[in-house]
Amino acid sequence: MPSASAYSAETDGVVVRVQPSYLAAQSDPEANHWVWAYQIEIVNLTGTPLQLVARRWTITDALGRVEEVRGSGVVGEQPVIEPGDSFAYASGCPLTTPSGSMVGAYFMQDPEGHMFEVAVPHFSLDVPDARRTLN
């Protein structure tokens, strides 16, 4: 997934990479509706299997409005990621402004039942070729 617009963070041996992309075909700027997809890859560099139990997202639009999203797992799954393996999925985010940002965390559990938080890097949602706004 590496590219110029990819974002990455590592927490305690777990790497999270994010690749956002604008979905022009699903967006309707005249109706104040912009949509982005984002691909996530979670890589387990630890020596133990880890289960992704829950997630938390903070979504901010260009006007500074904030939405908090929490839930179990991702895309209906609570995957176990073996040492050296990765888990990838895609999801999306609609906004009522032409730009915004997301940041979040995954809550991982090891085989002994210990939970820890893994950072999802802060990433920008921007319409291509639009005037850039710091989000």
Side-chain angles (χ1 to χ4, degrees):
M1 177 192 324
S3 89
S5 59
Y7 299 82
S8 183
E10 183 174 348
T11 308
D12 297 330
V14 179
V15 175
V16 178
R17 296 185 186 109
V18 183
Q19 177 73 53
S21 57
Y22 176 62
L23 300 178
Q26 294 182 26
S27 298
D28 184 358
E30 291 182 9
N32 293 324
H33 183 75
W34 291 267
V35 181
W36 288 265
Y38 54 90
Q39 296 181 333
I40 303 270
E41 180 183 31
I42 305 163
V43 183
N44 180 359
L45 300 177
T46 73
T48 186
L50 299 172
Q51 183 172 23
L52 193 162
V53 176
R55 72 186 182 289
R56 179 186 72 236
W57 288 108
T58 302
I59 305 165
T60 307
D61 72 11
L63 300 176
R65 294 178 293 210
V66 176
E67 179 184 0
E68 294 281 337
V69 177
R70 295 175 180 267
S72 62
V74 291
V75 294
E77 297 184 50
Q78 291 183 318
V80 173
I81 308 168
E82 296 294 330
D85 280 349
S86 65
F87 176 78
Y89 72 96
S91 192
C93 178
L95 290 177
T96 58
T97 60
S99 66
S101 66
M102 293 177 65
V103 65
Y106 296 125
F107 298 91
M108 309 296 276
Q109 186 172 27
D110 69 17
E112 288 77 42
H114 299 110
M115 294 278 280
F116 66 100
E117 189 172 319
V118 170
V120 177
H122 193 214
F123 60 96
S124 189
L125 304 171
D126 296 302
V127 174
D129 303 321
R131 185 176 69 83
R132 297 288 186 228
T133 303
L134 182 60
N135 292 305

